[in-house]
Amino acid sequence: MAIEIEDKFDVPLDYEVPEPANLPSGTEIVGPKTHQLVALYFDTPDLRLAARGITLRRRRGGTDPGWHLKLPKAKGVRQEIARPLTRSAKIVPPELVDLVLAYTRGTPLAPIAELDTRRTVTTLVNAAGVRLVEIADDRVKGTVFNDEKHVERWREVEAELIEGEEKLLKKIGKQLIKAGASPADSASKLARLLNAAGPVPEQQHAETQKGSAGEVVVDYISSQVSALLAQDPRVRGAEEDAVHQMRVACRRLRSVLKSFKTVIEGTENVQDELKWLGEVLGEARDLEVIRERFAHRLDSLDQGLLVGPIRARLSSDLLDEEHEAYDRIREALGGERYFALLDALDDLVGTPVLTKAAKKPADALDAVAAKSWRRVVKAYEAAQVIEEPVEHELAMHEVRKAAKRARYTAETLGKKKLAKRAEAVQEVLGTYRDGIVAQERLMAEAETARLAGEDTFTYGVLTGVERAAAQRAHEEFPEVWVETTAAVAELL
């Protein structure tokens, strides 16, 4: 997977591409060199990929023939996944089909258009022979496979950053514009072609009054749905931090739907399904966290304290469990239950059931932030009267969950200081909880090792380390609580 950074420009047919000027010392201009590129694009019949700004193609010719999947990342930056050409021109490789399942939701992919491009490339290379920027002058013939074929012809110029600095890309862009180019109206050639043949469907977004409570809530929901979808292909590929980020999106969505039920109604089933998805993701995430935690602990110990095959048990064994958990995630992400949840989330963004409160000014939601924090205080006070250790610990876990919800509520409303204070409570209680969970896991692993006839000395050492870490967090909490409640009183 690569990150593609490029600028596109519309130009007239008689446009003359200027020779790059004022380049860094030692930069050489190589080319131009011409290629013929033929790309076949795939989508669902109702253009679900195009509606999300996603392109999936099979391209022949040029320097990078193969299958290319481009996913939205940020303005001007896209994720691109490349795979070698396959024998079949009309069957998408299964691994790429999987990566867009969150968007197609099982609907088959088929060819929808073809782009035949005569590309003339000029490359900027530094003194070490490293390619910095490529400037591509494209003369395009596009065909849409409707009931009646639709054909368009045009010319455009692209400047793509390869290994150089972004300021060089910007400089080239300014020179192209000075020569008569203009920033492209379409994000891609395919989008331009499809829009010329007929309007491409867009993702629905509810119309809300500007500055209203409804606008704030729906916009936040939309941002988190987008975040969840963006992590889907990364989770399927088991990329670093992807499961964590997808689970956070689930939690934020559940939190906002709970906290703002006076603004948006009928979300109970979606909340339940988000909880289900979070639990599916949580198994792999928790294993990942504790495996990395134990690896760090073992690395920090004096080597003389390491006895027996403890690294194998706390590394490879946990990793095997993690892989099995990922298999369960992939199974869930390919199922109808997940697709139904995504459909429901789309409906929440496009056609939410808004209440009369949604029309109120956004500052009316300040009361929700205050109520959310009062819930944290109430949970804390309830925990303080519980003397039984296990029950008290469970009650403090509820304090942590309430603090997390208060944090996400504050984030929705843009109350960064309040969110930071709630996070402080969440973090110190989380550190304590993580220490307790780590001790429980170590006890279980130690018992397995004992039954296998292994020395369990180091398990005891690690348990002591975890107990000390949990105790520090436990002792730190009262001071954090006093400081936080005083600060929140001023904010609210």
Side-chain angles (χ1 to χ4, degrees):
M1 182 177 289
I3 299 298
E4 183 182 65
I5 303 176
E6 63 184 13
D7 292 325
K8 296 176 179 290
F9 302 91
D10 292 331
V11 299
L13 292 176
D14 59 353
Y15 180 77
E16 292 187 13
V17 180
E19 182 173 304
N22 302 318
L23 301 176
S25 178
T27 302
E28 181 183 356
I29 301 174
V30 178
K33 185 174 182 180
T34 300
H35 308 278
Q36 196 70 33
L37 312 174
V38 180
L40 188 62
Y41 287 81
F42 292 76
D43 206 331
T44 61
D46 54 356
L47 303 181
R48 297 184 184 186
L49 300 186
R52 298 275 188 178
I54 298 166
T55 57
L56 173 58
R57 72 187 180 204
R58 180 185 189 274
R59 188 165 76 180
R60 295 179 287 110
T63 58
D64 63 341
W67 288 91
H68 304 138
L69 171 62
K70 295 186 179 183
L71 300 165
K73 180 71 173 178
K75 186 177 181 181
V77 181
R78 294 157 63 85
Q79 282 185 318
E80 180 169 354
I81 300 148
R83 295 292 182 269
L85 280 176
T86 54
R87 180 174 299 178
S88 174
K90 295 188 177 181
I91 299 177
V92 181
E95 60 186 298
L96 296 182
V97 173
D98 287 345
L99 291 179
V100 295
L101 270 178
Y103 305 98
T104 64
R105 296 168 200 176
T107 301
L109 294 164
I112 57 157
E114 182 179 80
L115 289 171
D116 192 338
T117 304
R118 183 174 177 79
R119 167 167 290 182
T120 301
V121 179
T122 300
T123 307
L124 305 184
V125 180
N126 67 13
V130 176
R131 295 183 304 147
L132 305 177
V133 172
E134 282 190 353
I135 304 168
D137 178 9
D138 292 341
R139 297 176 183 271
V140 188
K141 174 189 175 184
T143 305
V144 178
F145 303 138
N146 287 332
D147 293 336
E148 295 183 5
K149 287 186 178 181
H150 179 90
V151 178
E152 290 281 330
R153 298 178 186 272
W154 73 91
R155 188 179 174 198
E156 64 180 54
V157 174
E158 296 178 3
E160 181 179 356
L161 189 68
I162 308 300
E163 297 287 346
E165 297 182 2
E166 287 197 43
K167 63 181 181 180
L168 177 58
L169 183 67
K170 291 180 180 179
K171 178 184 288 187
I172 297 301
K174 289 179 180 179
Q175 293 176 15
L176 293 171
I177 290 173
K178 187 175 181 180
S182 58
D185 288 334
S186 298
S188 68
K189 290 181 176 67
L190 180 64
R192 175 172 180 160
L193 174 61
L194 293 177
N195 279 311
V200 175
E202 296 182 357
Q203 288 305 118
Q204 282 189 301
H205 192 289
E207 293 185 8
T208 51
Q209 295 179 10
K210 189 171 180 60
S212 68
E215 180 187 45
V216 170
V217 174
V218 173
D219 283 355
Y220 187 80
I221 291 172
S222 177
S223 71
Q224 294 310 308
V225 171
S226 295
L228 189 153
L229 288 171
Q231 294 303 324
D232 178 285
R234 300 186 65 244
V235 169
R236 294 174 191 275
E239 292 189 39
E240 183 178 0
D241 205 38
V243 164
H244 172 58
Q245 293 301 328
M246 193 174 190
R247 185 164 68 155
V248 167
C250 288
R251 287 173 168 173
R252 283 178 168 151
L253 282 165
R254 280 189 71 210
S255 177
V256 73
L257 294 176
K258 285 183 177 180
S259 295
F260 298 101
K261 60 185 177 182
T262 57
V263 175
I264 182 169
E265 294 181 327
T267 68
E268 291 79 11
N269 183 63
V270 176
Q271 291 178 44
D272 290 343
E273 292 303 278
L274 285 167
K275 180 181 180 181
W276 160 75
L277 179 57
E279 290 172 348
V280 170
L281 297 167
E283 184 183 3
R285 172 60 181 170
D286 292 344
L287 285 164
E288 178 184 64
V289 168
I290 204 161
R291 177 175 56 80
E292 292 176 353
R293 182 186 186 96
F294 288 156
H296 174 73
R297 296 293 194 211
L298 289 170
D299 288 343
S300 64
L301 286 181
D302 185 286
Q303 292 300 302
L305 298 176
L306 298 180
V307 180
I310 187 170
R311 279 192 184 275
R313 286 209 179 274
L314 299 185
S315 177
S316 59
D317 286 2
L318 287 175
L319 188 59
D320 288 343
E321 290 185 41
E322 193 178 325
H323 288 160
E324 292 173 1
Y326 266 103
D327 288 340
R328 288 187 284 275
I329 288 175
R330 294 187 186 98
E331 182 179 359
L333 297 190
E336 291 300 325
R337 185 175 183 179
Y338 177 59
F339 298 157
L341 170 59
L342 296 181
D343 288 343
L345 292 174
D346 284 347
D347 289 342
L348 279 181
V349 175
T351 56
V353 181
L354 299 175
T355 67
K356 291 181 180 179
K359 296 181 180 179
K360 293 182 179 180
D363 56 15
L365 295 175
D366 290 351
V368 179
K371 181 179 179 181
S372 189
W373 179 253
R374 286 197 300 271
R375 189 179 294 108
V376 182
V377 174
K378 184 177 180 180
Y380 173 77
E381 292 174 345
Q384 299 318 296
V385 300
I386 299 175
E387 296 182 358
E388 200 282 320
V390 175
E391 293 298 321
H392 177 76
E393 183 180 316
L394 292 174
M396 290 302 291
H397 185 54
E398 292 302 312
V399 177
R400 182 193 179 199
K401 288 163 64 176
K404 186 181 297 185
R405 180 173 168 183
R407 170 192 168 190
Y408 292 154
T409 300
E411 287 178 352
T412 305
L413 303 176
K415 296 182 178 296
K416 295 181 180 180
K417 291 182 178 180
L418 179 58
K420 187 175 181 179
R421 291 297 180 178
E423 185 179 11
V425 173
Q426 172 196 334
E427 286 296 321
V428 69
L429 289 176
T431 299
Y432 172 76
R433 178 66 180 170
D434 290 346
I436 298 299
V437 170
Q439 290 175 62
E440 293 172 350
R441 183 75 197 212
L442 284 168
M443 291 174 63
E445 292 292 334
E447 178 62 14
T448 301
R450 186 187 67 78
L451 293 174
E454 299 168 8
D455 194 313
T456 60
F457 170 77
T458 307
Y459 291 94
V461 174
L462 286 183
T463 300
V465 171
E466 294 294 355
R467 184 178 294 116
Q471 184 62 29
R472 285 194 298 272
H474 179 72
E475 294 171 353
E476 179 187 350
F477 181 75
E479 182 179 345
V480 171
W481 179 254
V482 170
E483 180 182 339
T484 299
T485 51
V488 171
E490 294 182 5
L491 294 173
L492 296 176

